[in-house]
Amino acid sequence: MPVPQSERTTGASIQLRGVTKRYSHDGRPAVGDVSLDVAPGEFVTLLGPSGSGKSTTLNMIVGFTDPSEGEILVDGRAINDVPPHKRDLGMVFQDYALFPHMTAAQNIEFPLRYRKVPKAERQRRVDEALEFVELPGYGGRLPRDLSGGERQRVAIARAIVARPVALLMDEPLGALDKKLRESLQVEIRHLHQELGITFVYVTHDQDEALALSDRIAVFNRGRIEQIADPETLYERPSTLFVAEFVGESNTFEGIVRGDSGAIRLECENRSLGVPAGSSLRSGDAAALVVRPEHVRIRERRESDEGNVLTGWIDQILYLGSTRSIEVMLDGGGAMMIREPAGQWSDAEPGNTVTVSWDLEASILLPGDSARGAEAASP
Ligand code: ADP
């Protein structure tokens, strides 16, 4: 739905500079030294497992939580001391946070009353917001008479009715079922395009992050591991954590051996070729990651190019548009292989097979010293 010209803005830039949050004096901070630059109108997602510091970061931007250290700037202006209601930011939570005794229209009107917008103008903007989230005529309903998806639309309408310079959302689709989530993802993407304002979005769901975002900041233990556009994050993760959190991966851990001309990864039970151009040196602990869709599978016979391993098929999972094959490797470990529909091999459970992939499909990353010895894990 088109947004009236009067509603269009370019959105604000948001910067975090060395932001740390400690809830207690001992132990690891919930958020440690996070720096982030969100451009005006950009859609940036904070992605990471539960407890990695995403909500704390969002709450510091919106002003519900004070940083222990560091600075937060909106359009270049430090806002650490500005109270939340004066930050001009819209916020949407997972649990809707609607006032249960107020109708949808009264909920949406609330921020305008608070700002003392005249009644006629309030009425007009509430109707406009309801239309914008495709709920015209729903203004008189109480939250309990709305479905989960409709409630979240009302919460979004309430968050944008005062024309914020940025919209912050914390797992807004977390309470909804898969189908509804997917359709609301499309709507949120449209909303972003139509409003033109800056979006900062929190989720632990990598598919959601990949589908929605201009850029994704991957959080791990209170820090940003990598910030990049979805494709870069998937194709060129910079750490093992990112490679394994974003998308599916087969991981082999070992030690780099050889010189720059021909280096290999020596694992406990196998030796793997690695792509040229790595900055890792002989003796470094490293991990080699291969995406399941880059692995070929065939009956055990002729030799293949690239890395070739042998094993047997344990399981084949039919997933509709793809199927997923689990191969138990000779020498230990397992690999997951994904075949798109229409390109299925004649592999069956129990078959002995070779699996192979091109060197260029291998992503070589510094080893995770926090983890144990060699393991191949799908
Ligand atoms: P995420 O949003 O990624 O799930 P959070 O930002 O909610 O992570 O939490 C990060 C860490 O901070 C967790 O260890 C969590 O237990 C802790 N934490 C969050 N809120 C509080 C709080 N109000 N008091 C104390 N610890 C908190």
Side-chain angles (χ1 to χ4, degrees):
M1 174 173 310
V3 177
Q5 275 304 317
S6 61
E7 304 279 317
R8 285 183 191 275
T9 80
T10 52
S13 68
I14 298 175
Q15 288 164 305
L16 273 63
R17 293 206 184 131
V19 170
T20 291
K21 177 65 188 179
R22 281 187 201 86
Y23 286 107
S24 63
H25 289 291
D26 47 340
R28 199 162 39 81
V31 172
D33 195 21
V34 160
S35 293
L36 176 66
D37 267 312
V38 183
E42 198 178 14
F43 195 133
V44 168
T45 295
L46 317 183
L47 171 70
S50 175
S52 58
K54 309 179 297 291
S55 295
T56 300
T57 302
L58 203 72
N59 285 333
M60 288 192 285
I61 297 173
V62 81
F64 297 153
T65 301
D66 290 328
S68 312
E69 284 163 38
E71 221 175 14
I72 298 172
L73 302 101
V74 171
D75 273 343
R77 196 166 67 96
I79 55 161
N80 291 45
D81 298 327
V82 178
H85 62 276
K86 296 209 168 138
R87 290 191 184 191
D88 214 4
L89 305 170
M91 178 84 187
V92 179
F93 303 91
Q94 174 174 340
D95 58 3
Y96 323 122
L98 297 175
F99 300 112
H101 58 285
M102 288 187 190
T103 63
Q106 286 166 339
N107 266 285
I108 298 169
E109 190 188 15
F110 187 79
L112 301 177
R113 273 180 181 273
Y114 189 83
R115 285 171 174 76
K116 308 218 166 17
V117 174
K119 188 167 190 319
E121 170 79 0
R122 291 203 307 261
Q123 180 72 44
R124 189 181 68 73
R125 280 165 68 173
V126 168
D127 288 345
E128 226 170 58
L130 275 167
E131 199 141 311
F132 190 61
V133 295
E134 294 179 7
L135 289 177
Y138 281 62
R141 296 228 199 152
L142 287 169
R144 66 162 184 264
D145 299 326
L146 297 168
S147 71
E150 289 163 354
R151 270 181 235 162
Q152 202 51 300
R153 288 205 181 100
V154 172
I156 291 171
R158 185 179 58 181
I160 61 175
V161 75
R163 298 173 186 163
V165 293
L167 183 60
L168 312 182
M169 300 199 233
D170 193 348
E171 302 264 7
L173 310 183
L176 308 175
D177 65 52
K178 186 167 187 285
K179 242 194 148 51
L180 194 53
R181 233 167 38 223
E182 284 170 359
S183 82
L184 276 171
Q185 279 170 16
V186 175
E187 287 187 31
I188 286 175
R189 195 65 218 173
H190 281 152
L191 190 71
H192 177 249
Q193 281 161 358
E194 291 294 329
L195 288 174
I197 60 172
T198 313
F199 276 34
V200 183
Y201 191 96
V202 162
T203 184
H204 64 272
D205 180 335
Q206 42 137 337
D207 291 332
E208 193 163 295
L210 291 173
L212 288 176
S213 323
D214 295 324
R215 285 191 304 153
I216 300 169
V218 182
F219 275 68
N220 181 25
R221 299 161 63 87
R223 293 176 186 271
I224 296 180
E225 291 247 342
Q226 185 174 6
I227 174 155
D229 63 273
E231 202 177 324
T232 303
L233 214 56
Y234 186 79
E235 302 288 343
R236 295 197 300 281
S238 60
T239 69
L240 183 54
F241 177 84
V242 173
E244 293 191 330
F245 195 77
V246 179
E248 289 180 309
S249 51
N250 294 290
T251 304
F252 299 91
E253 294 183 67
I255 304 289
V256 173
R257 298 283 177 217
D259 57 33
S260 58
I263 61 169
R264 296 187 71 75
L265 186 71
E266 300 297 338
C267 308
E268 201 178 326
N269 299 319
R270 57 185 65 94
S271 167
L272 298 172
V274 301
S278 166
S279 59
L280 291 164
R281 292 159 183 272
S282 190
D284 287 347
L288 189 149
V289 171
V290 196
R291 299 294 187 193
E293 67 274 21
H294 291 149
V295 185
R296 295 181 296 270
I297 185 164
R298 61 182 68 189
E299 269 185 74
R300 207 180 279 189
R301 35 173 195 218
E302 81 276 34
S303 66
D304 249 303
E305 294 297 311
N307 277 312
V308 185
L309 301 176
T310 58
W312 56 275
I313 297 176
D314 185 28
Q315 293 202 64
I316 300 183
L317 299 181
Y318 174 71
L319 301 168
S321 59
T322 63
R323 66 177 193 172
S324 187
I325 304 177
E326 190 176 17
V327 173
M328 306 307 287
L329 299 173
D330 296 340
M335 280 192 92
M336 192 64 87
I337 294 137
R338 197 164 278 249
E339 292 184 327
Q343 296 176 35
W344 288 354
S345 60
D346 46 13
E348 287 185 38
N351 287 3
T352 53
V353 289
T354 56
V355 291
S356 60
W357 64 93
D358 298 334
L359 285 189
E360 303 78 65
S362 313
I363 306 166
L364 189 69
L365 297 165
D368 185 345
S369 50
R371 297 201 334 186
E374 190 259 352
S377 51

